Amino acid sequence: MKKVLFILSILVMGLVLVSCGDKEEPVDGSIATLASAKTSLNGVFSDPSNITNNITVPTSLLNGAVTATWDSSEPGVIAFGTPDAGLVTGTVNRPALGDGDATVVVTAALSIKSELSDDMLTDTFTITLTVKENTVAEISIETVADILAVVDSEYDGTYNVTIENLSVFAAGDDAVFAYDGTGVIEVYGGASADMEVGKVYTVAGTIDWYYGLWEITKSTATEQTGATFQAPTKEAITNVSGYIDALLTAGENNHPSVADGAFEPIYASITGKVYVIPGDDSNYNTYIISSDATAFTVGSADTPAQGFMVYYHTNNLNDLRLYDGIEVTIDVVIYTYRTNNNAFAIYYVGGADGITANLTDAEKQSIDAASLSLPESTTEAVTLDLPTAGANGSTIAWTFTDANNAANSYVNLATGAVTVPTGEQVTVGITATVSFAGLDDIVLTFTLKIGEYPLSTIADAVALANGVTVRVQGVVLGYSANNYVSIQDATGGISLYNSAGVADLAALVGHNVEVIGVTNIYKDNEYLENFTVTDLGTADYPAAFDLQTLADWDATTLLPYQNARVTAENLKVTAYAVDNYGNITMTLLDETTGNVINFKWDSRTPVENMTFLQAVAVDDYISFEGAVLGWAYGPLLSVSNGSQYFAGVAPTLTDANYVLLDSKEISISTVFTQEDTLTLPTSGTNGSTIAWTYTDVNDTNNSLVDLTTGAVTLPLDYGTVNVSITATITKGTETLTKEFVIEITYAAPTPDLLISEYIEGTPGNRKAIEIYNPTDAAIVLDNVYTLALNTNANTTWSTAIALTGTIAAGDVFVVYYDDSTNNDQLGTFGDFETTALAFNGDDAIGLFKDGVLLDLFGVFGEDPGDGWTIGEVANATKDHVITRDPSVTVPTATWNPSQWIVVGAYVDGSVTTLGSHTVS
């Protein structure tokens, strides 16, 4: 009986187990999300063993799904402030020089709400940080004046300070300016985003030198409630050019290094004209120039801009640009001299209502119209700002551009309310008519796309212009260099960049994601910015493309594989470097093809196999599988995990490989603008022989390049000619040819003074040299131009004649010597008489500029007998009147008889051509 019961029990249990096996337990997706968030924090600290500045860590992960609360085991060394915008800054107080490094355990308490209940799931991320001792001696810095007095570059970017009583009196969108009664300082980045104008703070951070300016960076700030606010004295500037000249005289444009002293920001009210450079849509296109200025030229290294450049991180920059060409009075901070722009730079700090101007009615209407804007698109129900009156008194009427467009129903022009269609995107045209009494209306048309963005391929997104919002899907591949994350679909790759979004994406590597972002390009790298990401779940990686199937690795060939997964094996390391940030760069050679590619590991990118990567040396071999082809002005291999790279081996090479390598190593000069010698190698580094021939043996230009000596000769006529030569590379039975085109240019001289007429005659000394000005500007001769004679075939010039006076554009200047009894014979035409002009028909004459031969008549150092022949006239340069051919418009330091026309024999009183010259 017991046996039967036992069997029944087993059967019942089996049925229960079968029943349970059919029921799937629910899976809490928050568990995986929490794990992904914890993993992503590994990438926050690029080098935990080398902490020297304040640290910023996320308090919101994976688009806000996970919350992180940070704590420090040593608050005196690292202290976390108040979280803001998903981030929190840890203020780092480095131990003093000699005290040794400090070890701090930093902990993040992670939490996320369960998908299955109201419970909170938690986990803990812990990491040990080493805060390095200061590398410089401790100095006393308690005030802004103390910072401005620092002249030792060792403190630049290395020294942490704490300054109290900093009153914020002005702000840009990336910095604030503060005053403590002793001086003005810029607080850049860090806590500046949360510091408010009109409040007083204690600020801790690192002092950094930037374009002659001391800044406090990597900062934290604590408001000093109850403290008395103070602002620096505001200077009044009404003469922009005069004030800039005074700054230049004071040397305020010359702070190239810390040792040269700092520029202290200047709080000022400026009255001047807004100038937006026409056709320039760059960040640096807006200046404040003198009110009476009629022209403006951007600055150069020799001539700084005579206007204040409005820095593009200024607030309300677009408001200010509306006043282009109009005199305004505005509050600014002149914060430094930007040597990259050759201009004193300012932040406008007066706010949207801080621009004062005396406007005409037309200007009021124009500014009101220019201030109108609507978003290009929206996927959410929003309310459009459709003002009916402009700030300057205009009236504004809003209508639909196409009254028959059915999509108009999604916009209420009376309230501005936008309704979003379901599952589609519609386009609505909206027109604004801006009216002002007595003036013609200004009509503006806007296009608004409403609803979900259509899904585009990545290839289509890459082809779009900058600034277009697009929706794509792709697999997250991982980091490429410079803190981008790449995604790829079947059509190609694109990268994503912004400081918060990239950190979240690190947890989504290997996932398919949907991204809505704005197209942009930087250093030729296509990317999306201002994006949102939706996780679509895990996915298979796209197949990696084998780079070694391509003949070349130039930018054009590799561009279709930008931001995509790629593979290459057994690449030789020909260069290896680690920069100040810990970034690793390499130059890699594929010995089988001679192709070269650069590599960069960004120290902000966590990888598991750092020991191998750091141990790589020149002449080692390395292979890549599924690496990302990043981009920075060209292809740049990148990795973000240890599985993407491993040790390679030296490939077995054949004569065909050696010939290919040697062919790619051949590099010769191909552009010549003067006679020179071309180096043509006859052997390659891998043992091949190189023979040089003309590509086209019948090309008459071949005579300009001597393949035996390498001598390059200029063509006889002005212009550019090409000579094609071919290198034949041979090793064993393998042969390869490579063609080069040598471009040889004989450039016409820049238009300048030239000799336009020559007179040599008797009886007595009847000599004249006419000089013509072919340019469109007057030329002053004094201390610049001279005439000189080369007599009796001497090897030197003699009898230099310093010329004085001015030659107007298109006019001539006649230098003459007339010892006849009738001194008016040549003097009638003459401008400058000198007895030094005593040449005969066999003497060369040179026109010099600043001591350099500019134009030549005759042959230097040659005795032609009585004179040189011109055309069919023997001894033409003796007792003749000779003029320059009208086709000649530039001087030449080489005598060319074909440029001269013999008018006739010199006969006393017969000169009619002197005193004017024409060109064709």
Side-chain angles (χ1 to χ4, degrees):
M1 184 66 179
K2 289 181 179 179
K3 185 175 182 181
V4 173
L5 289 174
F6 178 71
I7 293 172
L8 289 174
S9 298
I10 292 175
L11 290 173
V12 171
M13 185 177 295
L15 291 172
V16 171
L17 289 174
V18 170
S19 175
C20 291
D22 291 338
K23 180 180 180 181
E24 293 186 3
E25 292 294 328
V27 177
D28 193 339
S30 293
I31 296 175
T33 303
L34 188 64
S36 294
K38 182 175 181 179
T39 300
S40 71
L41 291 178
N42 289 317
V44 171
F45 304 94
S46 59
D47 190 353
S49 65
N50 185 33
I51 304 298
T52 58
N53 293 304
N54 292 346
I55 57 177
T56 300
V57 292
T59 57
S60 176
L61 301 167
L62 301 183
N63 293 320
V66 178
T67 299
T69 303
W70 293 83
D71 192 22
S72 165
S73 67
E74 299 290 340
V77 181
I78 298 179
F80 289 102
T82 302
D84 182 69
L87 300 169
V88 66
T89 298
T91 302
V92 173
N93 296 304
R94 296 173 64 180
L97 181 65
D99 287 353
D101 300 340
T103 299
V104 183
V105 177
V106 170
T107 302
L110 306 176
S111 62
I112 185 174
K113 184 180 178 299
S114 169
E115 291 183 356
L116 304 180
S117 69
D118 291 332
D119 294 341
M120 296 300 293
L121 306 181
T122 61
D123 200 348
T124 301
F125 171 83
T126 300
I127 190 168
T128 300
L129 306 179
T130 301
V131 179
K132 308 297 288 186
E133 68 173 344
N134 264 311
T135 58
V136 293
E138 188 169 350
I139 56 177
S140 177
I141 295 183
E142 298 179 350
T143 66
V144 171
D146 293 335
I147 297 175
L148 297 177
V150 174
V151 292
D152 189 338
S153 61
E154 289 187 344
Y155 293 91
D156 176 19
T158 65
Y159 202 73
N160 294 341
V161 300
T162 299
I163 307 295
E164 299 178 345
N165 301 314
L166 280 175
S167 296
V168 178
F169 66 90
D173 74 2
D174 63 345
V176 298
F177 294 91
Y179 178 66
D180 70 344
T182 72
V184 175
I185 193 79
E186 181 185 55
V187 182
Y188 177 79
S192 69
D194 301 315
M195 299 171 70
E196 298 179 26
V197 173
K199 293 186 177 181
V200 184
Y201 297 87
T202 295
V203 175
T206 305
I207 57 173
D208 269 306
W209 181 264
Y210 185 73
Y211 284 110
L213 176 79
W214 275 119
E215 304 174 326
I216 299 177
T217 63
K218 305 177 181 69
S219 58
T220 58
T222 303
E223 184 181 355
Q224 294 178 222
T225 56
T228 302
F229 176 84
Q230 56 183 338
T233 301
K234 187 193 303 181
E235 296 193 28
I237 302 172
T238 57
N239 181 352
V240 171
S241 293
Y243 195 88
I244 289 175
D245 288 342
L247 290 175
L248 295 173
T249 300
E252 293 291 8
N253 62 322
N254 190 25
H255 298 283
S257 66
V258 174
D260 298 294
F263 183 102
E264 182 178 357
I266 301 167
Y267 187 32
S269 171
I270 293 180
T271 298
K273 188 162 55 179
V274 178
Y275 182 81
V276 181
I277 300 174
D280 184 352
D281 60 357
S282 71
N283 290 329
Y284 304 103
N285 68 351
T286 305
Y287 288 78
I288 306 298
I289 63 177
S290 291
S291 298
D292 59 355
T294 58
F296 174 76
T297 303
V298 295
S300 66
D302 298 326
T303 308
Q306 282 294 303
F308 290 110
M309 183 188 75
V310 185
Y311 187 50
Y312 72 97
H313 278 293
T314 196
N315 289 323
N316 306 107
L317 178 55
N318 288 332
D319 293 328
L320 188 60
R321 286 171 172 162
L322 297 177
Y323 291 79
D324 184 19
I326 299 171
E327 182 187 74
V328 298
T329 299
I330 56 176
D331 288 347
V332 305
V333 175
I334 308 169
Y335 79 98
T336 194
Y337 184 82
R338 298 275 302 205
T339 53
N340 62 330
N341 303 106
N342 299 299
F344 287 100
I346 62 174
Y347 281 83
Y348 165 60
V349 296
D353 300 322
I355 304 170
T356 302
N358 293 319
L359 303 174
T360 66
D361 287 350
E363 288 170 340
K364 291 176 182 178
Q365 181 191 29
S366 177
I367 291 174
D368 283 350
S371 68
L372 299 177
S373 64
L374 292 180
E376 292 183 358
S377 59
T378 181
T379 58
E380 300 177 352
V382 296
T383 300
L384 301 177
D385 181 17
L386 303 175
T388 56
N392 292 295
S394 60
T395 59
I396 306 169
W398 297 89
T399 57
F400 292 115
T401 307
D402 177 5
N404 298 317
N405 182 8
N408 293 344
S409 61
Y410 293 103
V411 178
N412 186 323
L413 293 182
T415 64
V418 175
T419 303
V420 179
T422 302
E424 64 173 328
Q425 185 181 71
V426 298
T427 300
V428 177
I430 301 175
T431 296
T433 302
V434 184
S435 304
F436 206 98
L439 299 176
D440 292 337
D441 292 342
I442 296 176
V443 178
L444 305 173
T445 300
F446 302 92
T447 300
L448 174 63
K449 294 182 177 181
I450 309 170
E452 185 179 67
Y453 293 98
L455 184 64
S456 300
T457 66
I458 288 179
D460 287 340
V462 167
L464 293 172
N466 291 348
V468 179
T469 301
V470 66
R471 180 169 69 103
V472 297
Q473 292 180 359
V475 179
V476 181
L477 307 182
Y479 285 92
S480 60
N482 305 318
N483 217 26
Y484 290 89
V485 169
S486 296
I487 65 172
Q488 182 180 354
D489 69 3
T491 68
I494 197 168
S495 57
L496 312 175
Y497 180 82
N498 82 11
S499 56
V502 167
D504 287 347
L505 281 169
L508 297 176
V509 171
H511 286 228
N512 194 33
V513 296
E514 181 172 283
V515 180
I516 299 175
V518 180
T519 58
N520 208 338
I521 187 168
Y522 180 66
K523 295 183 177 180
D524 300 331
N525 178 43
E526 302 281 352
Y527 71 100
L528 298 178
E529 61 184 357
N530 302 326
F531 58 82
T532 59
V533 177
T534 302
D535 182 9
L536 302 179
T538 57
D540 293 332
Y541 284 111
F545 178 79
D546 185 355
L547 292 179
Q548 286 161 310
T549 61
L550 299 173
D552 293 295
W553 287 357
D554 59 89
T556 301
T557 304
L558 293 182
L559 187 60
Y561 310 101
Q562 184 185 96
N563 290 305
R565 294 181 77 235
V566 296
T567 294
E569 63 179 13
N570 302 327
L571 305 183
K572 185 177 183 178
V573 180
T574 60
Y576 181 95
V578 181
D579 66 16
N580 293 334
Y581 297 100
N583 302 322
I584 295 175
T585 57
M586 291 186 278
T587 303
L588 305 169
L589 168 67
D590 179 6
E591 292 182 310
T592 63
T593 63
N595 288 321
V596 174
I597 196 167
N598 292 322
F599 167 91
K600 180 178 180 180
W601 172 72
D602 192 311
S603 60
R604 294 168 291 186
T605 304
V607 296
E608 299 88 347
N609 199 8
M610 276 303 300
T611 302
F612 169 78
L613 199 58
Q614 292 171 331
V616 170
V618 171
D619 293 334
D620 285 350
Y621 291 84
I622 185 170
S623 295
F624 297 89
E625 176 63 45
V628 177
L629 187 63
W631 213 268
Y633 296 128
L636 194 66
L637 269 179
S638 313
V639 295
S640 59
N641 68 73
S643 66
Q644 292 174 312
Y645 54 93
F646 49 93
V649 296
T652 301
L653 301 179
T654 65
D655 284 348
N657 296 134
Y658 290 129
V659 166
L660 184 59
L661 284 171
D662 283 347
S663 73
K664 293 202 171 184
E665 286 183 356
I666 299 176
S667 178
I668 64 173
S669 299
T670 57
V671 177
F672 292 87
T673 57
Q674 60 185 13
E675 294 186 348
D676 206 338
T677 300
L678 176 63
T679 300
L680 300 173
T682 57
S683 62
T685 58
N686 293 288
S688 63
T689 59
I690 305 172
W692 295 90
T693 57
Y694 298 113
T695 307
D696 178 3
V697 294
N698 297 316
D699 186 352
T700 57
N701 291 327
N702 291 345
S703 61
L704 300 180
V705 177
D706 189 320
L707 296 182
T708 302
T709 65
V712 177
T713 306
L714 293 181
L716 292 176
D717 298 321
Y718 297 137
T720 299
V721 299
N722 294 329
V723 178
S724 296
I725 62 176
T726 298
T728 301
I729 307 99
T730 303
K731 183 175 176 63
T733 59
E734 298 292 338
T735 296
L736 193 65
T737 60
K738 187 174 184 178
E739 182 180 333
F740 298 87
V741 177
I742 311 300
E743 182 182 284
I744 309 171
T745 301
Y746 182 17
T750 302
D752 207 328
L753 299 184
L754 55 85
I755 299 172
S756 53
E757 188 161 345
Y758 165 98
I759 294 176
E760 200 281 329
T762 55
N765 281 313
R766 302 291 183 86
K767 324 287 182 184
I769 295 295
E770 181 186 86
I771 300 170
Y772 173 64
N773 177 6
T775 73
D776 57 3
I779 294 179
V780 178
L781 301 170
D782 306 38
N783 303 316
V784 178
Y785 294 90
T786 58
L787 282 173
L789 307 183
N790 175 236
T791 58
N792 302 320
N794 285 333
T795 58
T796 60
W797 290 97
S798 61
T799 320
I801 304 169
L803 304 178
T804 59
T806 300
I807 310 180
D811 203 355
V812 297
F813 187 88
V814 177
V815 182
Y816 68 99
Y817 175 24
D818 189 345
D819 68 351
S820 68
T821 55
N822 179 9
N823 198 46
D824 290 336
Q825 168 62 32
L826 297 178
T828 301
F829 308 99
D831 297 289
F832 187 94
E833 183 177 12
T834 172
T835 58
L837 199 68
F839 56 84
N840 294 318
D842 59 351
D843 300 324
I845 302 166
L847 174 62
F848 289 79
K849 180 179 182 180
D850 291 323
V852 177
L853 182 62
L854 185 65
D855 202 21
L856 178 65
F857 185 93
V859 181
F860 177 82
E862 178 180 293
D863 184 356
D866 287 337
W868 285 282
T869 297
I870 296 178
E872 298 181 357
V873 181
N875 299 322
T877 56
K878 179 176 177 58
D879 294 333
H880 281 91
V881 176
I882 305 171
T883 62
R884 201 69 170 260
D885 188 284
S887 66
V888 179
T889 58
V890 292
T892 174
T894 302
W895 166 248
N896 185 350
S898 66
Q899 292 187 353
W900 295 89
I901 299 171
V902 179
V903 177
Y906 178 84
V907 179
D908 190 14
S910 66
V911 178
T912 59
T913 53
L914 198 61
S916 64
H917 182 70
T918 57
V919 295
S920 58

